[in-house]
Amino acid sequence: MSIDVKMAWRNIWRNPRRTMLTICAIAFASLLLVFMLSFQFGSYETMINTSVKIHTGHLQIHAHEYLKKKSIRQVVSEPQEIAHLLQTIPKIEAYTFRGQAFSLISSKERTYGVAVTGIDPEREATVSRLKSSVREGEFLAESDKDQALVGKLLAKNLHITPGDEVTLLGQGRDGSIAATVVSVKGIYSSGIDEIDRASIHIPLKTFQEIYAMGNAIHEAVIIVESLSDVDAIKRSLNVKLQSQNPDNPLTAVDWEELMPGLRQSIEMDLVSGLIFYLLLIIVVAFSILNTFLMAIFERTKEFGVLMAIGTTPERLTKVLLIESMTMTSVGTSAGIIIGSLITIYFQSRGIDISGASDLLSQFGITGRIYPKLSWISAISGPLAVLIITFFAALYPALKIKKMRPVEAMRAV
Amino acid sequence: MHLQLAWRNVWRNVRRTTIILIAVIIGVWSMILLGSLMRGIAVGMIKNGISTLTGHFQIHRNGYRDDPAIENSMPDPSVVESVLKQVLPEGSLWTRRVRVSAVASNARHSAGVTMVGIDPLTEAKLSFIGTAVSSGRYLTPDDHNGIVIGEALLDKFETKIGHKLVLMSQDTHREMASRAFRIIGTFKAEMESTEKQYVFVNREISQKMLKLDAAISEIGIILPDKPDNPNVYHNLKTALPHDQYEVHNWRELLPFQTAYLRILDGFMYIWYLVVFVAMGFGIVNTTLMAVYERMREFGLLKALGMKPWWILREVLTESFLLLITGMIIGNGLGLVSVYALSGSGIDLSALAAGAEYAGMTRIIYPAIDLKDITIANLVVLVLGLCVSAYPAVKAARFTPVEALTHT
């Protein structure tokens, strides 16, 4: 250990109480940032993963501009080609095909307008949580025809229970009238009112028959192994779709485009969080600035003597900076360690948010939030603390240069 | 004398006092400003919720909220209105509405919407639609087939003002009723979902179409002063027979916003506490320094016969003055920043989809709530004095002999 570091270390512990308080302040800010950032990242991941599993998937393949217009005429006419393509791409966990149409649904007493989705029961269960959100009755089976799953609020409005029949009336792909009677096999509750109030699911084959779709579908829904793979897979899909049909290619869109609000609200939450954290760090910086300042005012005489016997001001500045940075490093390290421990504890247990569940279920968060510790969440906050306190420490340390040995030695 | 002494002591070391003051000021300022922004988000959400056809109170036929179907309409609203005239405070407004789910379609598209039959003149005073028409014109009482729809719906249907739109819904005889309307205007709302959901027609036309006669779905009420008036709520509930009508206030009608409001308070207090802890360490440290520097002085005072209690009081008074000064400046700056932002607000239009997803309005105006400010200041003052008690007790415990030999 160089003599400067040794000197700095001893200087720090000349006043243990003050040093401890300063370190505590820094550690407090750091641990709070580690925990809060992990908490935010964890809840974003929960939000994204639950939201994509409700309906949209990580990626979808559509006819060009389908996302904008959602017209029944914009179809993927050869789903088999897409299936072959998807099988060649690694890291795709599951995929399914769906048809989408708008129709009137009538029970004996009531009529409402709903979104009708044709699903492949077996594949759908691997892509979305529809199967596990069936609350009454049963999920569709592979052999089912003319059976339907109905949203919970819609079932309530229509006064229907499993076993009842409902009539669907809409327009087919070719403009013809599409009408059929289906019986209710199950009732699902996704937790998202919009879906539960205005959607029904029927087998894809039935859907294709009723709406004169032939073999065509509207969307191929894809779940990938990990959120971080989405971008790469989307790019390679789009290249391959382009080469398959250069004139009028299908397009792959990711969850950010499918749910623009989700992405933006995450950004908003992150930015507002950063403003909070920055203000917090500044308050901490000012509240420990005094410790750094005191270090030189108390020791003016000592510095005078040191300079008089030949120590350069640069060296003293260096020692002072080593002192303050040592304190900060000890504080941030303690903060990282304690913060990580707290985070790991909650990472395995989850944080109960039942008090706010009616609010958060609309964002796809139900039950518990699990913070997620990562290198970014563990390091970035404390690093910001380190940088800002460095600037706070710079001001007193630079004051040394203005000291004159003779005057300094006379100071009390 | 006592205060004056403390005040002078505070300023014995100008630089040190200034630095800790800055910490307190930034802390208080951020509490006030961010607190008012969070409150502003809530206020905006609620305002928007109330003006989007909610009102402060709604009256329905019993069972409507649970099952908002045409069978649950109020057959004779004039009975209710005569009660309203007696019960509501002067200056209250109310309006009749027909509200049913319907299917809108044109040649290319169809979608589920909510058809709202309104009295154009009174409705304009109660809800957003009065000021929201962005192109074309608003309904007049004698429009027979005019319809006002949201801009987003107009876009989605690829249609224009002047074109036809067909509405289909179930009438009171459980038959499908349909009627063609001509789009006379579009409205722009805070949320795109509002623009896609609501279409407005004249109440009498909707009643005729659905064979409702004089029946309506609901009565919306706006009170002249504050939205929460428990007396009115209670009076309405007792004056209207329970088995026929149900009364709801906006808190029941807007569960999402009410839940947000409930979380907000807790969240804000945690934030106050966190900021306080951040500056608390500084306050303790600075006060400790000030006390240890003056060890000899305290020793001397004690030797001269000053009671420990007086020294404790002296140190606490110094902290008190420091905190008060920081709070006055911090509050002042906070209020100035709020005032500066209150003109244009914070515009989130670039993130409109995100704001909508989170249920927030596109522009956030900071809102000052006396309760928030009081609690922020109380946290700083009370906890500030508590943590200063530690150095103060230390100072009071110095023994004269020890302290006087200290250099």
Side-chain angles (χ1 to χ4, degrees), chain A residues 45-95:
Chain A
E45 201 164 313
T46 316
M47 268 166 85
I48 294 168
N49 280 334
T50 40
S51 298
V52 298
K53 284 264 180 175
I54 287 172
H55 194 69
T56 51
H58 285 120
L59 289 160
Q60 287 189 4
I61 297 175
H62 300 147
H64 187 59
E65 290 236 308
Y66 172 77
L67 191 59
K68 237 172 107 189
K69 303 248 170 77
K70 291 253 159 118
S71 153
I72 193 168
R73 284 184 286 269
Q74 291 160 309
V75 296
V76 177
S77 45
E78 295 297 338
Q80 282 320 310
E81 282 177 22
I82 304 295
H84 288 309
L85 176 64
L86 292 177
Q87 272 151 14
T88 63
I89 295 180
K91 288 189 178 167
I92 286 183
E93 195 179 281
Y95 68 90

Tab-separated table of all heavy atoms in Angstrom, chain A residues 45-95:
chain	number	residue	atom	x	y	z
A	45	GLU	N	-40.419	-6.892	-16.513
A	45	GLU	CA	-40.361	-8.201	-17.142
A	45	GLU	C	-41.655	-8.976	-16.890
A	45	GLU	O	-42.179	-9.631	-17.785
A	45	GLU	CB	-39.145	-8.965	-16.641
A	45	GLU	CG	-38.778	-10.055	-17.602
A	45	GLU	CD	-37.383	-10.586	-17.367
A	45	GLU	OE1	-36.455	-9.775	-17.215
A	45	GLU	OE2	-37.243	-11.808	-17.315
A	46	THR	N	-42.164	-8.850	-15.641
A	46	THR	CA	-43.436	-9.507	-15.343
A	46	THR	C	-44.527	-8.969	-16.261
A	46	THR	O	-45.317	-9.727	-16.837
A	46	THR	CB	-43.850	-9.243	-13.888
A	46	THR	OG1	-42.717	-9.406	-13.061
A	46	THR	CG2	-44.944	-10.186	-13.450
A	47	MET	N	-44.558	-7.633	-16.376
A	47	MET	CA	-45.592	-7.015	-17.207
A	47	MET	C	-45.517	-7.515	-18.640
A	47	MET	O	-46.524	-7.887	-19.244
A	47	MET	CB	-45.422	-5.491	-17.216
A	47	MET	CG	-46.208	-4.774	-16.158
A	47	MET	SD	-45.628	-3.077	-15.990
A	47	MET	CE	-46.566	-2.280	-17.258
A	48	ILE	N	-44.301	-7.501	-19.188
A	48	ILE	CA	-44.150	-7.891	-20.589
A	48	ILE	C	-44.509	-9.363	-20.754
A	48	ILE	O	-45.306	-9.734	-21.613
A	48	ILE	CB	-42.709	-7.645	-21.072
A	48	ILE	CG1	-42.424	-6.147	-21.065
A	48	ILE	CG2	-42.509	-8.189	-22.478
A	48	ILE	CD1	-40.980	-5.807	-21.239
A	49	ASN	N	-43.939	-10.205	-19.874
A	49	ASN	CA	-44.163	-11.633	-20.051
A	49	ASN	C	-45.619	-12.028	-19.844
A	49	ASN	O	-46.142	-12.871	-20.571
A	49	ASN	CB	-43.258	-12.444	-19.129
A	49	ASN	CG	-41.857	-12.543	-19.705
A	49	ASN	OD1	-41.679	-12.452	-20.918
A	49	ASN	ND2	-40.872	-12.684	-18.858
A	50	THR	N	-46.291	-11.391	-18.869
A	50	THR	CA	-47.694	-11.757	-18.707
A	50	THR	C	-48.522	-11.172	-19.839
A	50	THR	O	-49.426	-11.830	-20.343
A	50	THR	CB	-48.289	-11.302	-17.366
A	50	THR	OG1	-47.790	-10.019	-17.082
A	50	THR	CG2	-47.958	-12.246	-16.259
A	51	SER	N	-48.195	-9.943	-20.262
A	51	SER	CA	-48.992	-9.338	-21.333
A	51	SER	C	-48.873	-10.131	-22.622
A	51	SER	O	-49.875	-10.367	-23.290
A	51	SER	CB	-48.558	-7.896	-21.592
A	51	SER	OG	-48.759	-7.130	-20.453
A	52	VAL	N	-47.662	-10.552	-22.985
A	52	VAL	CA	-47.534	-11.294	-24.246
A	52	VAL	C	-48.233	-12.633	-24.144
A	52	VAL	O	-48.727	-13.162	-25.134
A	52	VAL	CB	-46.067	-11.512	-24.691
A	52	VAL	CG1	-45.380	-10.204	-24.937
A	52	VAL	CG2	-45.307	-12.360	-23.724
A	53	LYS	N	-48.302	-13.172	-22.933
A	53	LYS	CA	-48.925	-14.487	-22.771
A	53	LYS	C	-50.454	-14.405	-22.723
A	53	LYS	O	-51.123	-15.429	-22.796
A	53	LYS	CB	-48.417	-15.153	-21.492
A	53	LYS	CG	-47.017	-15.704	-21.635
A	53	LYS	CD	-47.076	-17.183	-21.970
A	53	LYS	CE	-45.685	-17.764	-22.127
A	53	LYS	NZ	-45.710	-19.190	-22.336
A	54	ILE	N	-50.979	-13.209	-22.520
A	54	ILE	CA	-52.433	-13.106	-22.505
A	54	ILE	C	-52.978	-13.282	-23.912
A	54	ILE	O	-53.912	-14.035	-24.140
A	54	ILE	CB	-52.883	-11.762	-21.901
A	54	ILE	CG1	-52.666	-11.798	-20.404
A	54	ILE	CG2	-54.353	-11.495	-22.196
A	54	ILE	CD1	-52.879	-10.483	-19.738
A	55	HIS	N	-52.370	-12.609	-24.851
A	55	HIS	CA	-52.938	-12.701	-26.179
A	55	HIS	C	-51.912	-12.522	-27.295
A	55	HIS	O	-51.875	-13.291	-28.239
A	55	HIS	CB	-54.039	-11.642	-26.335
A	55	HIS	CG	-54.905	-11.842	-27.518
A	55	HIS	ND1	-55.786	-12.887	-27.608
A	55	HIS	CD2	-55.002	-11.169	-28.681
A	55	HIS	CE1	-56.404	-12.836	-28.768
A	55	HIS	NE2	-55.941	-11.808	-29.443
A	56	THR	N	-51.070	-11.492	-27.178
A	56	THR	CA	-50.338	-11.041	-28.367
A	56	THR	C	-49.144	-11.895	-28.762
A	56	THR	O	-48.803	-11.943	-29.933
A	56	THR	CB	-49.828	-9.612	-28.159
A	56	THR	OG1	-49.137	-9.589	-26.926
A	56	THR	CG2	-50.938	-8.629	-28.143
A	57	GLY	N	-48.475	-12.525	-27.803
A	57	GLY	CA	-47.237	-13.224	-28.147
A	57	GLY	C	-46.086	-12.242	-28.288
A	57	GLY	O	-46.275	-11.032	-28.260
A	58	HIS	N	-44.861	-12.782	-28.416
A	58	HIS	CA	-43.695	-11.910	-28.584
A	58	HIS	C	-43.651	-11.314	-29.978
A	58	HIS	O	-43.235	-10.185	-30.183
A	58	HIS	CB	-42.400	-12.697	-28.359
A	58	HIS	CG	-42.125	-12.992	-26.923
A	58	HIS	ND1	-42.004	-14.257	-26.430
A	58	HIS	CD2	-41.947	-12.174	-25.859
A	58	HIS	CE1	-41.761	-14.219	-25.135
A	58	HIS	NE2	-41.729	-12.963	-24.761
A	59	LEU	N	-44.043	-12.133	-30.947
A	59	LEU	CA	-43.975	-11.698	-32.343
A	59	LEU	C	-45.229	-12.182	-33.058
A	59	LEU	O	-45.823	-13.193	-32.671
A	59	LEU	CB	-42.770	-12.341	-33.038
A	59	LEU	CG	-41.373	-11.874	-32.658
A	59	LEU	CD1	-40.367	-12.925	-33.049
A	59	LEU	CD2	-41.057	-10.563	-33.335
A	60	GLN	N	-45.619	-11.446	-34.092
A	60	GLN	CA	-46.714	-11.927	-34.939
A	60	GLN	C	-46.330	-11.715	-36.393
A	60	GLN	O	-45.597	-10.775	-36.715
A	60	GLN	CB	-48.009	-11.160	-34.641
A	60	GLN	CG	-48.642	-11.545	-33.305
A	60	GLN	CD	-50.026	-10.946	-33.128
A	60	GLN	OE1	-50.555	-10.303	-34.031
A	60	GLN	NE2	-50.603	-11.170	-31.960
A	61	ILE	N	-46.832	-12.590	-37.235
A	61	ILE	CA	-46.638	-12.404	-38.674
A	61	ILE	C	-48.002	-12.113	-39.290
A	61	ILE	O	-48.973	-12.826	-39.026
A	61	ILE	CB	-46.025	-13.657	-39.322
A	61	ILE	CG1	-44.636	-13.896	-38.740
A	61	ILE	CG2	-45.952	-13.494	-40.831
A	61	ILE	CD1	-43.987	-15.167	-39.223
A	62	HIS	N	-48.048	-11.009	-40.048
A	62	HIS	CA	-49.318	-10.577	-40.655
A	62	HIS	C	-49.112	-10.284	-42.125
A	62	HIS	O	-47.994	-10.114	-42.570
A	62	HIS	CB	-49.772	-9.217	-40.079
A	62	HIS	CG	-49.989	-9.205	-38.627
A	62	HIS	ND1	-49.747	-8.100	-37.875
A	62	HIS	CD2	-50.443	-10.147	-37.784
A	62	HIS	CE1	-50.043	-8.356	-36.622
A	62	HIS	NE2	-50.453	-9.583	-36.533
A	63	ALA	N	-50.244	-10.095	-42.804
A	63	ALA	CA	-50.194	-9.462	-44.110
A	63	ALA	C	-49.773	-8.011	-43.889
A	63	ALA	O	-50.000	-7.449	-42.822
A	63	ALA	CB	-51.565	-9.504	-44.770
A	64	HIS	N	-49.158	-7.410	-44.899
A	64	HIS	CA	-48.698	-6.035	-44.808
A	64	HIS	C	-49.852	-5.111	-44.384
A	64	HIS	O	-50.950	-5.213	-44.924
A	64	HIS	CB	-48.157	-5.634	-46.186
A	64	HIS	CG	-47.493	-4.305	-46.176
A	64	HIS	ND1	-46.412	-4.027	-45.374
A	64	HIS	CD2	-47.768	-3.169	-46.842
A	64	HIS	CE1	-46.044	-2.785	-45.556
A	64	HIS	NE2	-46.845	-2.229	-46.440
A	65	GLU	N	-49.598	-4.250	-43.394
A	65	GLU	CA	-50.589	-3.256	-42.956
A	65	GLU	C	-51.800	-3.832	-42.224
A	65	GLU	O	-52.733	-3.109	-41.913
A	65	GLU	CB	-51.093	-2.409	-44.145
A	65	GLU	CG	-50.045	-1.474	-44.689
A	65	GLU	CD	-50.506	-0.027	-44.688
A	65	GLU	OE1	-51.586	0.234	-45.215
A	65	GLU	OE2	-49.772	0.825	-44.143
A	66	TYR	N	-51.774	-5.139	-41.955
A	66	TYR	CA	-52.915	-5.715	-41.227
A	66	TYR	C	-53.072	-5.068	-39.854
A	66	TYR	O	-54.172	-4.765	-39.408
A	66	TYR	CB	-52.735	-7.227	-41.065
A	66	TYR	CG	-53.760	-7.875	-40.159
A	66	TYR	CD1	-55.047	-8.123	-40.611
A	66	TYR	CD2	-53.455	-8.196	-38.842
A	66	TYR	CE1	-55.998	-8.694	-39.783
A	66	TYR	CE2	-54.406	-8.766	-38.004
A	66	TYR	CZ	-55.670	-9.013	-38.472
A	66	TYR	OH	-56.622	-9.561	-37.655
A	67	LEU	N	-51.927	-4.824	-39.208
A	67	LEU	CA	-51.943	-4.276	-37.852
A	67	LEU	C	-52.698	-2.946	-37.812
A	67	LEU	O	-53.383	-2.637	-36.850
A	67	LEU	CB	-50.502	-4.099	-37.373
A	67	LEU	CG	-50.314	-3.791	-35.907
A	67	LEU	CD1	-50.909	-4.879	-35.050
A	67	LEU	CD2	-48.846	-3.616	-35.583
A	68	LYS	N	-52.559	-2.169	-38.895
A	68	LYS	CA	-53.170	-0.847	-38.917
A	68	LYS	C	-54.666	-0.929	-39.177
A	68	LYS	O	-55.473	-0.271	-38.551
A	68	LYS	CB	-52.512	-0.002	-40.005
A	68	LYS	CG	-51.915	1.292	-39.476
A	68	LYS	CD	-51.114	1.976	-40.545
A	68	LYS	CE	-51.824	3.196	-41.069
A	68	LYS	NZ	-51.128	3.722	-42.263
A	69	LYS	N	-55.049	-1.752	-40.142
A	69	LYS	CA	-56.439	-1.739	-40.589
A	69	LYS	C	-57.270	-2.843	-39.970
A	69	LYS	O	-58.482	-2.718	-39.843
A	69	LYS	CB	-56.477	-1.889	-42.121
A	69	LYS	CG	-55.691	-0.807	-42.840
A	69	LYS	CD	-56.631	0.103	-43.603
A	69	LYS	CE	-55.925	1.340	-44.126
A	69	LYS	NZ	-55.121	1.081	-45.301
A	70	LYS	N	-56.648	-3.964	-39.663
A	70	LYS	CA	-57.355	-5.121	-39.115
A	70	LYS	C	-58.544	-5.521	-39.971
A	70	LYS	O	-59.628	-5.798	-39.472
A	70	LYS	CB	-57.848	-4.816	-37.692
A	70	LYS	CG	-56.726	-4.697	-36.690
A	70	LYS	CD	-56.683	-5.882	-35.773
A	70	LYS	CE	-55.339	-6.027	-35.139
A	70	LYS	NZ	-55.285	-5.923	-33.721
A	71	SER	N	-58.372	-5.519	-41.281
A	71	SER	CA	-59.472	-5.913	-42.152
A	71	SER	C	-59.424	-7.421	-42.369
A	71	SER	O	-58.358	-8.020	-42.457
A	71	SER	CB	-59.349	-5.182	-43.494
A	71	SER	OG	-59.956	-5.944	-44.495
A	72	ILE	N	-60.593	-8.008	-42.481
A	72	ILE	CA	-60.671	-9.469	-42.625
A	72	ILE	C	-60.073	-9.928	-43.951
A	72	ILE	O	-59.676	-11.066	-44.117
A	72	ILE	CB	-62.143	-9.952	-42.476
A	72	ILE	CG1	-62.183	-11.468	-42.299
A	72	ILE	CG2	-62.994	-9.510	-43.649
A	72	ILE	CD1	-63.522	-11.995	-41.864
A	73	ARG	N	-59.960	-8.997	-44.914
A	73	ARG	CA	-59.428	-9.358	-46.228
A	73	ARG	C	-57.911	-9.489	-46.258
A	73	ARG	O	-57.349	-10.056	-47.175
A	73	ARG	CB	-59.865	-8.323	-47.265
A	73	ARG	CG	-61.318	-8.482	-47.681
A	73	ARG	CD	-61.679	-7.502	-48.769
A	73	ARG	NE	-61.803	-6.146	-48.230
A	73	ARG	CZ	-62.947	-5.642	-47.782
A	73	ARG	NH1	-64.042	-6.351	-47.814
A	73	ARG	NH2	-62.989	-4.423	-47.321
A	74	GLN	N	-57.235	-8.900	-45.251
A	74	GLN	CA	-55.769	-8.957	-45.266
A	74	GLN	C	-55.296	-10.235	-44.588
A	74	GLN	O	-55.136	-10.287	-43.384
A	74	GLN	CB	-55.202	-7.736	-44.548
A	74	GLN	CG	-55.442	-6.460	-45.329
A	74	GLN	CD	-55.329	-5.249	-44.455
A	74	GLN	OE1	-55.945	-5.169	-43.404
A	74	GLN	NE2	-54.518	-4.299	-44.875
A	75	VAL	N	-55.072	-11.262	-45.387
A	75	VAL	CA	-54.816	-12.581	-44.804
A	75	VAL	C	-53.399	-13.085	-45.122
A	75	VAL	O	-52.727	-12.585	-46.013
A	75	VAL	CB	-55.815	-13.632	-45.331
A	75	VAL	CG1	-57.215	-13.284	-44.901
A	75	VAL	CG2	-55.706	-13.741	-46.849
A	76	VAL	N	-53.003	-14.067	-44.337
A	76	VAL	CA	-51.821	-14.863	-44.663
A	76	VAL	C	-52.377	-16.090	-45.360
A	76	VAL	O	-52.984	-16.953	-44.737
A	76	VAL	CB	-51.088	-15.281	-43.377
A	76	VAL	CG1	-49.898	-16.171	-43.702
A	76	VAL	CG2	-50.665	-14.058	-42.591
A	77	SER	N	-52.198	-16.164	-46.686
A	77	SER	CA	-52.968	-17.181	-47.407
A	77	SER	C	-52.352	-18.568	-47.337
A	77	SER	O	-53.065	-19.554	-47.484
A	77	SER	CB	-53.197	-16.740	-48.859
A	77	SER	OG	-51.995	-16.250	-49.375
A	78	GLU	N	-51.052	-18.684	-47.129
A	78	GLU	CA	-50.435	-20.007	-47.071
A	78	GLU	C	-49.774	-20.260	-45.718
A	78	GLU	O	-48.549	-20.173	-45.582
A	78	GLU	CB	-49.379	-20.148	-48.188
A	78	GLU	CG	-49.937	-20.101	-49.597
A	78	GLU	CD	-50.884	-21.249	-49.893
A	78	GLU	OE1	-50.792	-22.289	-49.199
A	78	GLU	OE2	-51.709	-21.104	-50.799
A	79	PRO	N	-50.553	-20.539	-44.699
A	79	PRO	CA	-49.953	-20.712	-43.362
A	79	PRO	C	-48.936	-21.853	-43.310
A	79	PRO	O	-48.016	-21.816	-42.511
A	79	PRO	CB	-51.160	-20.984	-42.453
A	79	PRO	CG	-52.292	-21.281	-43.352
A	79	PRO	CD	-52.015	-20.652	-44.653
A	80	GLN	N	-49.101	-22.861	-44.209
A	80	GLN	CA	-48.158	-23.979	-44.168
A	80	GLN	C	-46.730	-23.531	-44.436
A	80	GLN	O	-45.779	-23.993	-43.813
A	80	GLN	CB	-48.584	-25.075	-45.173
A	80	GLN	CG	-49.730	-25.936	-44.671
A	80	GLN	CD	-49.603	-26.279	-43.198
A	80	GLN	OE1	-48.549	-26.736	-42.748
A	80	GLN	NE2	-50.648	-26.024	-42.427
A	81	GLU	N	-46.593	-22.580	-45.373
A	81	GLU	CA	-45.258	-22.047	-45.671
A	81	GLU	C	-44.648	-21.397	-44.440
A	81	GLU	O	-43.463	-21.547	-44.150
A	81	GLU	CB	-45.339	-21.013	-46.802
A	81	GLU	CG	-45.476	-21.636	-48.165
A	81	GLU	CD	-45.624	-20.571	-49.245
A	81	GLU	OE1	-45.215	-19.411	-49.004
A	81	GLU	OE2	-46.163	-20.911	-50.312
A	82	ILE	N	-45.486	-20.653	-43.726
A	82	ILE	CA	-45.002	-19.989	-42.511
A	82	ILE	C	-44.587	-21.036	-41.483
A	82	ILE	O	-43.554	-20.910	-40.827
A	82	ILE	CB	-46.097	-19.081	-41.916
A	82	ILE	CG1	-46.569	-18.067	-42.945
A	82	ILE	CG2	-45.612	-18.380	-40.663
A	82	ILE	CD1	-45.527	-17.062	-43.369
A	83	ALA	N	-45.384	-22.088	-41.368
A	83	ALA	CA	-45.060	-23.137	-40.404
A	83	ALA	C	-43.698	-23.744	-40.716
A	83	ALA	O	-42.870	-23.930	-39.828
A	83	ALA	CB	-46.138	-24.216	-40.430
A	84	HIS	N	-43.438	-24.018	-42.017
A	84	HIS	CA	-42.133	-24.564	-42.394
A	84	HIS	C	-41.026	-23.597	-42.021
A	84	HIS	O	-39.991	-23.983	-41.478
A	84	HIS	CB	-42.091	-24.838	-43.906
A	84	HIS	CG	-42.932	-26.014	-44.291
A	84	HIS	ND1	-42.809	-27.227	-43.650
A	84	HIS	CD2	-43.905	-26.161	-45.218
A	84	HIS	CE1	-43.683	-28.065	-44.174
A	84	HIS	NE2	-44.373	-27.444	-45.122
A	85	LEU	N	-41.275	-22.333	-42.315
A	85	LEU	CA	-40.271	-21.311	-42.036
A	85	LEU	C	-39.966	-21.252	-40.540
A	85	LEU	O	-38.801	-21.241	-40.118
A	85	LEU	CB	-40.804	-19.953	-42.526
A	85	LEU	CG	-39.939	-18.737	-42.237
A	85	LEU	CD1	-38.627	-18.864	-42.980
A	85	LEU	CD2	-40.664	-17.472	-42.660
A	86	LEU	N	-41.014	-21.260	-39.728
A	86	LEU	CA	-40.816	-21.118	-38.282
A	86	LEU	C	-40.068	-22.311	-37.705
A	86	LEU	O	-39.309	-22.178	-36.755
A	86	LEU	CB	-42.167	-20.937	-37.574
A	86	LEU	CG	-42.873	-19.625	-37.875
A	86	LEU	CD1	-44.229	-19.566	-37.182
A	86	LEU	CD2	-42.031	-18.438	-37.457
A	87	GLN	N	-40.288	-23.474	-38.302
A	87	GLN	CA	-39.601	-24.655	-37.781
A	87	GLN	C	-38.099	-24.603	-38.019
A	87	GLN	O	-37.334	-25.252	-37.315
A	87	GLN	CB	-40.197	-25.917	-38.401
A	87	GLN	CG	-41.395	-26.405	-37.582
A	87	GLN	CD	-42.422	-27.132	-38.423
A	87	GLN	OE1	-42.145	-27.515	-39.560
A	87	GLN	NE2	-43.598	-27.329	-37.875
A	88	THR	N	-37.691	-23.820	-39.017
A	88	THR	CA	-36.252	-23.744	-39.291
A	88	THR	C	-35.538	-22.758	-38.374
A	88	THR	O	-34.316	-22.731	-38.330
A	88	THR	CB	-35.995	-23.296	-40.741
A	88	THR	OG1	-36.520	-21.971	-40.890
A	88	THR	CG2	-36.656	-24.220	-41.729
A	89	ILE	N	-36.273	-21.931	-37.672
A	89	ILE	CA	-35.616	-20.904	-36.852
A	89	ILE	C	-35.470	-21.388	-35.408
A	89	ILE	O	-36.444	-21.799	-34.787
A	89	ILE	CB	-36.421	-19.594	-36.906
A	89	ILE	CG1	-36.403	-19.055	-38.330
A	89	ILE	CG2	-35.848	-18.567	-35.935
A	89	ILE	CD1	-37.156	-17.788	-38.520
A	90	PRO	N	-34.235	-21.383	-34.901
A	90	PRO	CA	-34.036	-21.823	-33.513
A	90	PRO	C	-34.558	-20.767	-32.535
A	90	PRO	O	-34.821	-19.630	-32.920
A	90	PRO	CB	-32.518	-21.968	-33.403
A	90	PRO	CG	-31.975	-21.025	-34.424
A	90	PRO	CD	-32.980	-20.953	-35.535
A	91	LYS	N	-34.680	-21.153	-31.301
A	91	LYS	CA	-35.072	-20.258	-30.215
A	91	LYS	C	-36.535	-19.829	-30.278
A	91	LYS	O	-36.964	-18.951	-29.549
A	91	LYS	CB	-34.190	-19.002	-30.159
A	91	LYS	CG	-32.797	-19.314	-29.650
A	91	LYS	CD	-32.042	-18.066	-29.393
A	91	LYS	CE	-30.662	-18.387	-28.836
A	91	LYS	NZ	-29.788	-17.234	-28.861
A	92	ILE	N	-37.303	-20.408	-31.177
A	92	ILE	CA	-38.746	-20.171	-31.139
A	92	ILE	C	-39.348	-21.272	-30.276
A	92	ILE	O	-39.168	-22.451	-30.542
A	92	ILE	CB	-39.361	-20.169	-32.554
A	92	ILE	CG1	-38.964	-18.872	-33.259
A	92	ILE	CG2	-40.882	-20.293	-32.481
A	92	ILE	CD1	-39.549	-18.702	-34.623
A	93	GLU	N	-40.033	-20.853	-29.218
A	93	GLU	CA	-40.524	-21.842	-28.277
A	93	GLU	C	-41.811	-22.474	-28.792
A	93	GLU	O	-41.997	-23.687	-28.708
A	93	GLU	CB	-40.766	-21.163	-26.930
A	93	GLU	CG	-40.931	-22.116	-25.779
A	93	GLU	CD	-41.142	-21.345	-24.497
A	93	GLU	OE1	-40.157	-20.843	-23.936
A	93	GLU	OE2	-42.302	-21.220	-24.071
A	94	ALA	N	-42.704	-21.625	-29.304
A	94	ALA	CA	-43.988	-22.137	-29.762
A	94	ALA	C	-44.607	-21.133	-30.722
A	94	ALA	O	-44.247	-19.964	-30.723
A	94	ALA	CB	-44.927	-22.348	-28.579
A	95	TYR	N	-45.507	-21.613	-31.557
A	95	TYR	CA	-46.234	-20.694	-32.426
A	95	TYR	C	-47.620	-21.259	-32.669
A	95	TYR	O	-47.866	-22.452	-32.460
A	95	TYR	CB	-45.497	-20.480	-33.748
A	95	TYR	CG	-45.451	-21.693	-34.637
A	95	TYR	CD1	-46.463	-21.924	-35.571
A	95	TYR	CD2	-44.427	-22.623	-34.532
A	95	TYR	CE1	-46.444	-23.057	-36.369
A	95	TYR	CE2	-44.400	-23.749	-35.331
A	95	TYR	CZ	-45.412	-23.968	-36.247
A	95	TYR	OH	-45.400	-25.086	-37.037
